[in-house]
Amino acid sequence: MAPVEMGEYSLAVGATCAYLVVWYGFLANQLFMKPVAARSAERRKVELSRFDYRCPEWEMADRTVANAMEQMVAFLLLLWLYAVFGNARVAGVLGFVYVGFNRLVRRSRFCGPTGESSRCS
């Protein structure tokens, strides 16, 4: 068995790091949307519940985190299985493609087709 060259895994490592950066961005967005939801609940004179999705910004922030968390295990596991047992370069490239489309889809869902949300600027 030939020794493993760590340089061949650089794209897979980069895709993993990019995914984690996007993940922490989603967490930060959820954190920043909590006060927005709290003000919205206060205006409606209701108590804020974590699962109160009457504030669309809070719903999108919360669902984005939950969906990303659900997909994280499968994405990272398959990325690294293919990198180790298949082609590490292709795994890294596909990982970056997934991260890019994941971020793009989340932004387009949050902003809407016309970008009308104030959070899209």
Side-chain angles (χ1 to χ4, degrees), residues 72-102:
M72 184 183 299
V73 173
F75 168 70
L76 292 175
L77 179 66
L78 293 173
L79 171 79
W80 281 100
L81 282 174
Y82 190 65
V84 170
F85 297 111
N87 186 325
R89 182 176 174 79
V90 172
V93 169
L94 292 175
F96 275 113
V97 168
Y98 172 81
V99 169
F101 276 112
N102 190 352

Side-chain angles (χ1 to χ4, degrees), residues 11-92:
L11 283 175
V13 170
T16 301
C17 291
Y19 186 85
L20 293 176
V21 166
V22 170
W23 162 250
Y24 280 107
F26 292 158
L27 287 176
N29 186 48
Q30 184 186 38
L31 180 68
F32 294 135
M33 284 295 110
K34 183 90 175 192
V36 172
R39 284 192 298 273
S40 177
E42 188 177 301
R43 279 194 307 273
R44 292 189 318 263
K45 300 195 182 348
V46 297
E47 186 176 335
L48 177 64
S49 165
R50 182 200 176 295
F51 298 106
D52 181 4
Y53 288 153
R54 288 177 280 187
C55 176
E57 289 87 2
W58 171 250
E59 177 186 12
M60 184 53 60
D62 192 52
R63 290 307 314 154
T64 298
V65 167
N67 291 343
M69 189 168 42
E70 291 167 357
Q71 297 169 10
M72 184 183 299
V73 173
F75 168 70
L76 292 175
L77 179 66
L78 293 173
L79 171 79
W80 281 100
L81 282 174
Y82 190 65
V84 170
F85 297 111
N87 186 325
R89 182 176 174 79
V90 172

